[in-house]
Amino acid sequence: MGLFDKFKEVTRKVSEVENNIYHEKRDYLEIYERNIELEKAIAERTEELNDANKRMFTLQHIWDMMNSSTPLENVMEAIVNSTQGELGYMHCVIIKKSVDKDGVFMNILAQSNDGLIDRLNNLIGTPGIQTRRLNYDSESVFADAMRRRTIIQTKSIDLSLRAVLPELSSETVQKIISNQPVKSVIVIPLITQNQEFGWFCVFTARDELASAEMDFLGLFAKQIEMAITIADLFQAVREQAVTDALTGLYNRRYFEEAIEKEVQRAKRQNQPFSVIGIDLDYLKKINDTYGHYYGDLAIKTISEVLKSNARSVDVPARMGGEEFNVLLPGIGSEGAMIAAERIRKSIEHVEIETIGHITGSLGVATYFEHTENVEELLELTDQAMYTSKREGRNRVTIAKPITEVSWQEVAVNTFLDILSKNRIPMAQHLSKELCLKLRAPVNKDELSNDSLYTVADMLAKMYNPMHSSGIVKNKVLMAVSLAKRFDLPKEDIDNLRVAILLYDIGNLMLPQDLLQKSAPLTDDEREQIKNHPIIAAQKILKPISYVQDILPIIEHHHENWDGSGYPNKLAKEDIPLTSQIILIIDQYFALIEPRPYRGKLSARDALDIIKADSGKKWNANLVKEFISLIEHDIV
């Protein structure tokens, strides 16, 4: 082979190598590009699978709730929060279509907890959108979706907002829709049992939704409709257990559950709510004059007034007997007073067969404004209601904050609570008699203490037949004079006044033959009697929220200065001074009053006994001031 042939052969082989390299490079590129496409497809399928899993998880969560006795409102809240949180929407809401005497309207049943709704509420002000009566516009996207029974996606967020809140100014609407990520709203009609229920609305940051997502939302709407139907059935059964049989209003149990939920909502959305307390005037007189049939008729009349004046979100309830409460979500004290006055006038306006006209006494208290404790809120409502009673009935009274309530009001309402709720053993007729004394009308500007001292004397006489009328008043006046010698603040003195009225009430829970025994007590009997401060503080008074500051005074009023007292063997400065004041006054009056086992002592003999225990049973300074006080009176 010549040189030229060899060159051609080498060139041919080089070309073959180059061709092979080229083809291999092209194959590699094709494989690389296919791998990229495959990885992209895998990522897309994985994302779709994750979305599908989230949707299935959400559906499973709702199915679990549907197959339980979970209340409808809880199912609704779970739906919107699951959809918003797990599926990544900006906001979700379930809106109900309703009809009343004023026409068709819309109201929110549930909405997800997110920054979007907080921003909206901040801009539209109080009340928030969740407690408002929303306008129904027959030309809106909501009406269109319901008519066509189809899902509609709209980018006209401003028109949708103006449709439900036409009172908003253009400036406010622009503030709401500007500088926020929502691009469109998906409106899904909800049909349950062939009835137009409302809409499930989803706010999203995407301009367009994939057809698969729209299909899912359609499927999801069907599950929501089924959830509503099932939950409604459970709700119907549940309402039988939480509804008052006579009036059809909610009962105390439901009201207490509702107000606890409202507290959580109020804290979450930083919005107030109010409670109106209503007490039918003169029910006993109606029963005695016309019979219980007409008493029940008067109670039912009040219930009808409450129903006709209630918004869809309000909770009117019969708390027992002739007492009613109305929970007003999202309403401050000013609005609550207007609502209460409207109820009062409506009650007064109704004419009942045979009876004629009836009236009610009303009280109003507002969460956040008057207190942030729900028990105190209800107590304040009761106090305001009882104030309306005492000031002439057929009126509305706004509650005072706890710090502004007089000691007489606290004492009167504490006795009313104890008596009306049977916290002590007592014949029902006597309990009612004492309540009537406490509720008797008094001067508007100054509470009369006579009925208060009379009731306290009557209760003392039940466990101590030798108790003399007027003693309680003397004890209170003496305690106040002694406390002022130690420069105690007004709040402490007022607490002491109330404690003097209540400190021995625990004796009503002890066997009467034990308290009146003339023979010496056995050790076991003595230990039994020592329990009365604990009984008074913990068993009788502890459930009453507004006397909590008084409980330690009562619980420790048998503690001795040297630590030999009971129930906790406190000593010296650990004992509240107010408790020591009660102890020394109690001892003094026990000595100068007769007892089954001895006659009464003179004031001077009693002071000698007290003086002998100075530094042991009492603080020496307290004894000195007490003796000075008493000697001034007996000179």
Side-chain angles (χ1 to χ4, degrees):
M1 181 181 296
L3 179 63
F4 181 73
D5 291 333
K6 288 182 179 180
F7 178 77
K8 285 178 62 178
E9 181 65 19
V10 170
T11 302
R12 184 184 61 78
K13 288 182 178 181
V14 169
S15 296
E16 287 179 358
V17 170
E18 287 178 345
N19 286 334
N20 288 336
I21 291 174
Y22 171 76
H23 287 299
E24 287 180 3
K25 181 179 180 181
R26 187 179 62 186
D27 290 343
Y28 280 127
L29 287 173
E30 289 177 355
I31 292 172
Y32 176 73
E33 289 173 354
R34 284 201 300 269
N35 283 342
I36 290 177
E37 291 177 359
L38 183 59
E39 287 175 358
K40 182 178 179 182
I42 290 173
E44 290 174 351
R45 298 291 86 76
T46 301
E47 185 175 354
E48 290 175 1
L49 182 61
N50 288 336
D51 288 342
N53 285 336
K54 288 180 181 178
R55 293 166 186 169
M56 290 303 297
F57 178 80
T58 302
L59 287 174
Q60 182 62 50
H61 180 53
I62 293 170
W63 265 104
D64 291 341
M65 298 191 75
M66 287 164 56
N67 290 293
S68 70
S69 58
T70 304
L72 178 59
E73 60 267 25
N74 290 7
V75 175
M76 299 292 97
E77 288 182 4
I79 289 171
V80 293
N81 284 311
S82 295
T83 308
Q84 187 266 340
E86 295 165 13
L87 304 183
Y89 294 110
M90 302 301 299
H91 182 65
C92 298
V93 61
I94 294 175
I95 303 173
K96 192 174 189 308
K97 180 181 180 183
S98 302
V99 181
D100 64 8
K101 57 184 175 60
D102 296 321
V104 182
F105 68 98
M106 302 159 64
N107 62 282
I108 291 176
L109 286 187
Q111 61 185 2
S112 56
N113 302 320
D114 50 63
L116 191 65
I117 199 63
D118 292 337
R119 182 173 184 271
L120 174 63
N121 283 334
N122 287 334
L123 289 169
I124 68 174
T126 303
I129 192 171
Q130 65 279 358
T131 58
R132 293 194 182 202
R133 179 189 175 101
L134 304 179
N135 180 63
Y136 177 77
D137 185 345
S138 60
E139 301 300 320
S140 67
V141 65
F142 303 98
D144 191 25
M146 188 64 75
R147 270 193 306 269
R148 293 164 55 188
R149 302 287 175 96
T150 187
I151 300 173
I152 296 179
Q153 182 178 13
T154 177
K155 299 178 184 178
S156 302
I157 301 171
D158 56 339
L159 296 179
S160 302
L161 188 60
R162 291 298 294 272
V164 297
L165 293 171
E167 69 273 16
L168 294 184
S169 66
S170 299
E171 292 78 10
T172 301
V173 172
Q174 285 303 312
K175 287 180 182 178
I176 292 171
I177 65 175
S178 62
N179 299 321
Q180 48 80 31
V182 174
K183 301 299 182 185
S184 63
V185 181
I186 300 97
V187 180
I188 309 158
L190 300 174
I191 313 296
T192 60
Q193 301 181 34
N194 295 320
Q195 299 294 319
E196 295 180 353
F197 180 86
W199 302 267
F200 179 55
C201 300
V202 175
F203 293 71
T204 178
R206 297 189 292 278
D207 289 319
E208 301 291 341
L209 296 185
S211 59
E213 187 169 0
M214 294 291 278
D215 291 341
F216 168 75
L217 288 173
L219 173 64
F220 197 64
K222 295 299 180 185
Q223 302 306 313
I224 294 174
E225 292 167 354
M226 189 178 299
I228 292 170
T229 301
I230 294 174
D232 271 336
L233 294 175
F234 279 117
Q235 187 78 354
V237 174
R238 182 174 178 268
E239 283 178 357
Q240 296 176 5
V242 298
T243 304
D244 176 63
L246 177 64
T247 64
L249 294 176
Y250 292 115
N251 59 19
R252 177 185 289 274
R253 172 188 169 190
Y254 182 88
F255 181 86
E256 289 173 349
E257 291 176 356
I259 200 169
E260 289 294 342
K261 292 176 184 176
E262 189 56 35
V263 167
Q264 299 306 314
R265 193 194 309 271
K267 289 179 178 177
R268 186 170 63 244
Q269 298 173 349
N270 195 31
Q271 284 194 336
F273 67 87
S274 296
V275 176
I276 301 174
I278 305 103
D279 190 277
L280 170 62
D281 294 330
Y282 301 112
L283 177 62
K284 184 178 186 300
K285 183 178 179 180
I286 294 172
N287 285 332
D288 292 345
T289 305
Y290 305 105
H292 286 277
Y293 167 80
Y294 288 99
D296 288 348
L297 187 58
I299 289 172
K300 284 191 272 190
T301 299
I302 296 256
S303 70
E304 292 304 316
V305 168
L306 297 183
K307 290 175 188 175
S308 64
N309 281 276
R311 303 171 301 164
S312 60
V313 295
D314 294 341
V315 181
R318 184 185 180 200
M319 305 304 287
E322 66 270 40
E323 292 188 12
F324 304 81
N325 278 351
V326 181
L327 174 63
L328 304 174
I331 300 297
S333 59
E334 184 177 348
M337 286 294 286
I338 294 172
E341 180 60 22
R342 184 168 60 245
I343 290 170
R344 186 198 67 77
K345 287 182 178 178
S346 298
I347 294 171
E348 186 181 34
H349 179 73
V350 175
E351 187 169 359
I352 305 175
E353 170 197 356
T354 303
I355 301 174
H357 294 279
I358 60 173
T359 60
S361 298
L362 292 81
V364 172
T366 299
Y367 192 77
F368 285 142
E369 181 174 330
H370 294 112
T371 179
E372 294 185 25
N373 180 292
V374 70
E375 292 182 1
E376 285 184 358
L377 182 74
L378 296 177
E379 296 289 357
L380 287 171
T381 304
D382 283 344
Q383 288 178 29
M385 185 173 67
Y386 289 138
T387 299
S388 292
K389 284 279 188 190
R390 290 194 297 271
E391 293 183 355
R393 297 178 170 83
N394 190 26
R395 64 190 63 211
V396 179
T397 302
I398 187 73
K400 300 176 184 177
I402 291 292
T403 55
E404 295 180 17
V405 176
S406 70
W407 72 269
Q408 294 101 323
E409 288 176 281
V410 172
V412 166
N413 287 300
T414 301
F415 276 129
L416 286 172
D417 187 291
I418 292 170
L419 295 167
S420 64
K421 296 180 180 177
N422 303 312
R423 299 193 190 278
I424 55 175
M426 179 180 290
Q428 191 172 12
H429 73 277
L430 180 56
S431 176
K432 288 183 177 180
E433 179 183 341
L434 295 181
C435 284
L436 287 174
K437 287 183 181 295
L438 292 165
R439 289 171 174 166
V442 296
N443 182 278
K444 183 175 181 179
D445 298 319
E446 183 178 358
L447 283 170
S448 170
N449 297 333
D450 291 342
S451 59
L452 190 58
Y453 294 139
T454 298
V455 170
D457 278 326
M458 291 177 70
L459 292 175
K461 209 168 187 64
M462 289 178 62
Y463 58 81
N464 177 17
M466 295 183 173
H467 176 84
S468 302
S469 297
I471 293 296
V472 170
K473 181 177 181 179
N474 291 338
K475 287 183 177 180
V476 171
L477 295 176
M478 189 180 293
V480 171
S481 296
L482 194 55
K484 287 180 178 178
R485 293 188 174 215
F486 290 90
D487 295 323
L488 289 184
K490 180 183 182 299
E491 182 179 356
D492 287 355
I493 293 176
D494 285 348
N495 286 340
L496 177 59
R497 284 182 168 113
V498 179
I500 284 282
L501 298 172
L502 298 166
Y503 74 94
D504 258 350
I505 201 168
N507 284 330
L508 288 169
M509 309 294 281
L510 298 177
Q512 295 306 298
D513 56 348
L514 177 62
L515 295 171
Q516 298 166 26
K517 186 176 179 180
S518 57
L521 298 176
T522 65
D523 290 341
D524 288 342
E525 290 171 338
R526 192 172 288 106
E527 289 300 318
Q528 193 173 355
I529 287 178
K530 285 182 177 180
N531 281 329
H532 83 271
I534 297 295
I535 294 172
Q538 298 299 320
K539 294 187 177 180
I540 300 175
L541 299 173
K542 189 174 183 179
I544 306 173
S545 63
Y546 50 83
V547 294
Q548 298 305 299
D549 290 342
I550 297 165
L551 299 191
I553 304 174
I554 294 174
E555 189 169 344
H556 301 307
H557 81 270
H558 273 292
E559 301 284 2
N560 293 336
W561 187 252
D562 63 2
S564 62
Y566 59 88
N568 302 117
K569 296 190 179 300
L570 299 184
K572 298 186 178 180
E573 274 26 343
D574 289 337
I575 308 170
L577 176 56
T578 44
S579 298
Q580 278 264 291
I581 289 173
I582 291 180
L583 179 61
I584 201 167
I585 290 175
D586 177 71
Q587 178 72 45
Y588 176 75
F589 280 95
L591 292 170
I592 64 173
E593 287 183 321
R595 289 292 183 265
Y597 47 90
R598 61 153 174 81
K600 65 179 182 179
L601 302 179
S602 69
R604 292 203 177 276
D605 289 339
L607 290 180
D608 288 340
I609 293 173
I610 289 173
K611 192 183 298 184
D613 280 329
S614 177
K616 299 175 186 176
K617 201 165 187 176
W618 300 285
N619 179 339
N621 288 334
L622 177 63
V623 172
K624 178 183 176 182
E625 293 297 334
F626 181 75
I627 290 174
S628 171
L629 179 67
I630 299 301
E631 286 181 339
H632 179 272
D633 293 333
I634 64 176
V635 169

